[in-house]
């Protein structure tokens, strides 16, 4: 049997492993799932006859090398920083490799070695990055094939709760790594292109510069800018594009309220709070507000942020129990961001019956035969339950389909790469339609970046 090694059995692997198990009879596959927690791996494979679970510590060279050497292809679903150890072994033992993570400098350095050995090292083939690359390049290449010239590209993705599970005032719950949500946008100004002009949004203004997006059947969303949209300019061969903008989607109103946390400094992860383990949530909030012998924490909070008592934003903070005297931080030497994350987890953790949702929205502006055109492309995927989530589906299925395509010799171009070529995205996007992951493309009037600029 042909052997596939999947390293890691976290939340995003449910659909990946199910797909491979479902294909194991017809494709003559044996799937080995390796994880530090072997019980987690066993749960994922169940009692399937064509699968086995092993204990695998990526920092133990002996067990790692043994598992990789025995495989025909390797899928790494580890945290991104751990892929490199796996990748080096794949070079040594002549194994192709698939990951959903961004290409690191260390991974890119293996490109020539992979090419010399004819190995495919496919990266960035999850949802974002991944589905965004493939769906965007399919439209961009289609426009170019007709002789069109791209002048605008905007792309947005959001991991949100499904409408039936959207039951708090923030219209948001954690559907992926909470830490990444709390610290989103930090580390430098967001930069992008807008009508041939470089634009920058510093972190302290990021959540107040949003734009609206309407998705048929799902209503209105807002989007704030990702940190660096320009890195995709060369990747997508958009050197002459006038507008290039990538962003993150939330429900309308989220960003305005989140800006309050930013303004107070509660998202800062650069220093620790003294005596944080003995703080109540109320003490934590008060630590960022001026002293007053008479005013309450609530009054100081509203005054400092200029929030009226009847403003919906105020109700959002009350809903979080932000001013509780009894709920305790209980984290030693914690940063403000870590404390805020704990507070939010109380309210934004998915309930057992909750379902998640992935939303993606692309805008393509182009010139063809002297006329300006625009295509808007949208995709919405809903989760089934807490195991088979929309996040796991949109991350895991592209990884799984690519893995089998490489194994079957349908994707053969060697080297460290991302899924932006027709060889890769055409068959994968076509097969994803069978699983309900489809993009709806609509011709709309081209209005440029500014809809009022008719």
């Amino acid at each position: 049997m042909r052997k596939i090694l999947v390293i890691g059995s976290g939340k995003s692997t449910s659909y990946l492993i199910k797909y491979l198990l479902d294909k194991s009879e017809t494709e003559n596959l044996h799937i080995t799932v390796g994880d530090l927690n072997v019980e987690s791996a066993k749960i994922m494979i169940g009692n399937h006859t064509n699968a086995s679970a092993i204990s695998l510590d990526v920092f133990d060279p002996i067990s790692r090398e043994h598992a990789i050497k025995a495989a025909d292809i390797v899928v790494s679903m580890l945290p991104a920083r751990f892929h490199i150890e796996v990748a080096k072994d794949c070079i040594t033992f002549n194994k192709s490799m698939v990951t959903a993570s961004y290409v690191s400098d260390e991974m890119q350095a293996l490109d020539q070695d992979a090419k010399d050995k004819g190995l495919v090292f496919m990266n960035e083939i999850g949802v974002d990055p991944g589905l965004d690359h493939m769906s965007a390049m399919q439209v961009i290449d289609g426009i170019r094939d007709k002789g069109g010239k791209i002048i605008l590209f905007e792309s947005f993705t959001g991991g949100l709760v499904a409408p039936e599970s959207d039951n708090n005032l923030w219209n948001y719950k954690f559907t992926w790594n909470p830490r990444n949500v709390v610290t989103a946008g930090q580390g430098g100004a967001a930069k992008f292109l807008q009508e041939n002009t470089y634009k920058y949004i510093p972190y302290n203004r990021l959540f107040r510069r949003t734009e609206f997006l309407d998705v048929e059947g799902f209503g209105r969303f807002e989007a704030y800018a990702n940190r660096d949209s320009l890195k995709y300019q060369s990747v997508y061969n958009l050197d002459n594009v006038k507008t290039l903008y990538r962003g993150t989607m939330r429900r309308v109103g989220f960003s305005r309220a989140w800006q309050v946390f930013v303004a107070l400094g509660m998202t800062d992860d650069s220093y620790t709070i003294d005596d944080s383990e003995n703080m109540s949530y109320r003490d934590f909030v008060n630590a960022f507000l001026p002293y007053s012998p008479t005013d309450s924490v609530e009054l100081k909070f509203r005054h400092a942020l200029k929030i009226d008592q009847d403003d919906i934003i105020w109700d959002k903070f009350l809903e979080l129990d932000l001013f509780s005297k009894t709920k305790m931080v209980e984290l030693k030497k914690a940063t403000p961001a870590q404390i805020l994350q704990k507070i939010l987890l109380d309210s934004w953790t998915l309930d057992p019956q909750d379902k998640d949702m992935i939303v993606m929205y692309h805008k393509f502006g182009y010139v063809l035969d002297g006329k300006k055109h625009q295509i808007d492309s949208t995709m919405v995927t809903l989760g089934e339950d807490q195991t088979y989530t929309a996040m796991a589906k949109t991350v895991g299925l592209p990884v799984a389909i690519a893995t089998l395509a490489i194994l079957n010799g349908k994707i053969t171009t060697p080297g460290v790469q991302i899924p932006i070529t027709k060889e890769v995205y055409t068959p994968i996007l076509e097969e994803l339609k069978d699983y309900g992951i489809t993009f709806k493309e609509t011709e709309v009037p081209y209005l440029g970046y500014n809809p009022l600029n008719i």
Side-chain angles (χ1 to χ4, degrees):
M1 300 184 80
R2 301 184 299 167
K3 297 175 182 176
I4 298 176
L5 172 64
V6 179
I7 305 177
S9 58
K11 290 182 177 181
S12 59
T13 61
S14 56
Y15 274 99
L16 160 65
I17 293 170
K18 184 179 187 302
Y19 175 93
L20 295 175
L21 293 176
D22 289 346
K23 296 281 186 180
S24 63
E25 289 293 336
T26 57
E27 295 285 347
N28 192 31
L29 305 174
H30 182 87
I31 296 91
T32 300
V33 181
D35 198 291
L36 194 58
N37 179 1
V38 71
E39 293 304 317
S40 171
K42 288 179 179 177
I43 290 171
M44 283 296 179
I45 64 171
N47 297 315
H48 205 288
T49 54
N50 294 334
S52 55
I54 61 171
S55 177
L56 198 160
D57 180 356
V58 73
F59 296 114
D60 175 14
I62 296 175
S63 67
R64 187 186 69 232
E65 290 171 9
H66 178 76
I68 292 172
K69 194 173 183 180
D72 293 305
I73 190 169
V74 177
V75 179
S76 179
M77 298 299 286
L78 296 165
R81 61 189 182 278
F82 299 147
H83 292 321
I84 193 63
E85 300 302 326
V86 176
K88 289 175 181 176
D89 285 348
C90 286
I91 293 290
T92 300
F93 300 116
N94 299 315
K95 313 295 180 183
S96 288
M97 175 180 175
V98 182
T99 87
S101 301
Y102 287 104
V103 176
S104 65
D105 292 340
E106 294 87 353
M107 183 71 78
Q108 188 60 47
L110 299 176
D111 179 52
Q112 194 58 53
D113 289 337
K115 287 176 178 175
D116 290 344
K117 294 196 170 191
L119 303 175
V120 179
F121 274 28
M122 185 65 66
N123 301 268
E124 301 189 21
I125 193 158
V127 56
D128 180 359
L131 270 179
D132 56 345
H133 291 324
M134 294 187 286
S135 56
M137 286 307 302
Q138 186 173 58
V139 175
I140 290 171
D141 284 342
I143 290 169
R144 286 172 175 155
D145 289 346
K146 293 188 298 183
K149 176 185 173 184
I150 305 293
I151 56 174
L152 175 146
F153 175 62
E154 297 183 53
S155 179
F156 311 91
T157 306
L160 301 157
V161 289
E164 63 264 42
S165 304
D166 187 349
N167 56 11
N168 67 46
L169 292 175
W170 292 75
N171 308 114
Y172 186 79
K173 294 181 183 179
F174 291 124
T175 60
W176 65 306
N177 190 336
R179 178 176 172 79
N180 290 354
V181 176
V182 173
T183 60
Q186 298 183 37
K191 53 182 178 177
F192 53 98
L193 263 176
Q194 209 172 66
E195 300 294 346
N196 267 343
T197 302
Y198 288 106
K199 294 288 187 179
Y200 302 86
I201 307 177
Y203 176 64
N204 69 312
R205 293 295 300 159
L206 182 64
F207 295 94
R208 294 309 296 132
R209 293 264 295 273
T210 58
E211 66 174 89
F212 290 147
L213 302 164
D214 292 295
V215 179
E216 185 179 350
F218 292 90
R220 176 162 281 195
F221 299 82
E222 66 184 16
Y224 63 86
N226 288 356
R227 206 171 75 191
D228 185 7
S229 296
L230 301 184
K231 65 182 179 182
Y232 291 91
Q233 193 162 12
S234 58
V235 171
Y236 292 178
N237 192 21
L238 296 172
D239 293 335
N240 297 314
V241 75
K242 292 182 177 180
T243 294
L244 179 57
Y245 181 101
R246 285 174 56 93
T248 298
M249 296 173 71
R250 295 284 183 260
R251 284 294 188 182
V252 175
F254 177 94
S255 297
R256 179 171 164 240
W258 188 264
Q259 177 66 26
V260 170
F261 291 138
V262 175
L264 282 177
M266 290 183 175
T267 61
D268 199 318
D269 203 40
S270 64
Y271 67 94
T272 58
I273 299 283
D274 292 321
D275 200 33
S276 56
E277 68 268 31
N278 294 316
M279 277 184 163
S280 67
Y281 291 1
R282 186 181 188 84
D283 293 333
F284 171 63
V285 175
N286 196 32
F288 295 93
L289 299 171
Y291 171 77
S292 171
T294 55
D295 292 346
S296 67
V297 176
E298 291 88 342
L299 192 60
K300 290 191 296 181
F301 185 93
R302 287 209 312 269
H303 178 73
L305 281 309
K306 297 179 174 60
I307 300 172
D308 292 329
Q309 189 170 319
D310 59 354
D311 192 326
I312 185 62
I313 283 186
W314 178 239
D315 292 331
K316 291 180 181 182
F317 295 117
L318 293 178
E319 185 183 68
L320 296 175
D321 269 348
L322 200 61
F323 306 100
S324 173
K325 297 178 182 178
T326 56
K327 289 189 175 181
M328 305 300 291
V329 171
E330 297 176 338
L331 300 173
K332 290 184 177 181
K333 290 289 183 183
T335 67
Q338 289 170 334
I339 297 172
L340 178 60
Q341 178 180 324
K342 182 180 188 297
I343 292 171
L344 296 177
L345 280 167
D346 289 350
S347 299
W348 291 359
T349 296
L350 291 170
D351 292 327
Q353 72 278 7
D354 281 345
K355 299 176 182 179
D356 69 330
M357 172 173 72
I358 299 291
V359 186
M360 193 170 287
Y361 197 122
H362 302 307
K363 297 181 182 182
F364 308 89
Y366 63 100
V367 177
L368 179 64
D369 298 330
K371 295 182 179 179
K372 293 179 179 177
H373 305 265
Q374 183 168 321
I375 296 172
D376 283 9
S377 176
T378 59
M379 184 279 296
V380 178
T381 298
L382 300 174
E384 296 177 27
D385 52 39
Q386 288 292 294
T387 299
Y388 293 99
T389 63
M391 186 70 75
K393 187 175 188 177
T394 50
V395 170
L397 284 179
V399 169
I401 295 169
T403 300
L404 193 55
I406 294 167
L407 194 60
N408 287 336
K410 294 179 179 178
I411 297 174
T412 58
T413 303
V416 174
Q417 60 190 283
I418 63 175
I420 57 172
T421 61
K422 292 179 181 179
E423 174 193 41
V424 178
Y425 67 66
T426 301
I428 293 176
L429 289 175
E430 189 60 35
E431 187 171 348
L432 285 172
K433 292 178 183 177
D434 298 336
Y435 295 89
I437 300 177
T438 59
F439 286 81
K440 180 180 180 181
E441 295 169 12
T442 309
E443 291 270 358
V444 299
Y446 177 81
L447 300 176
Y449 190 84
N450 180 5
L452 300 178
N453 185 26
I454 299 173

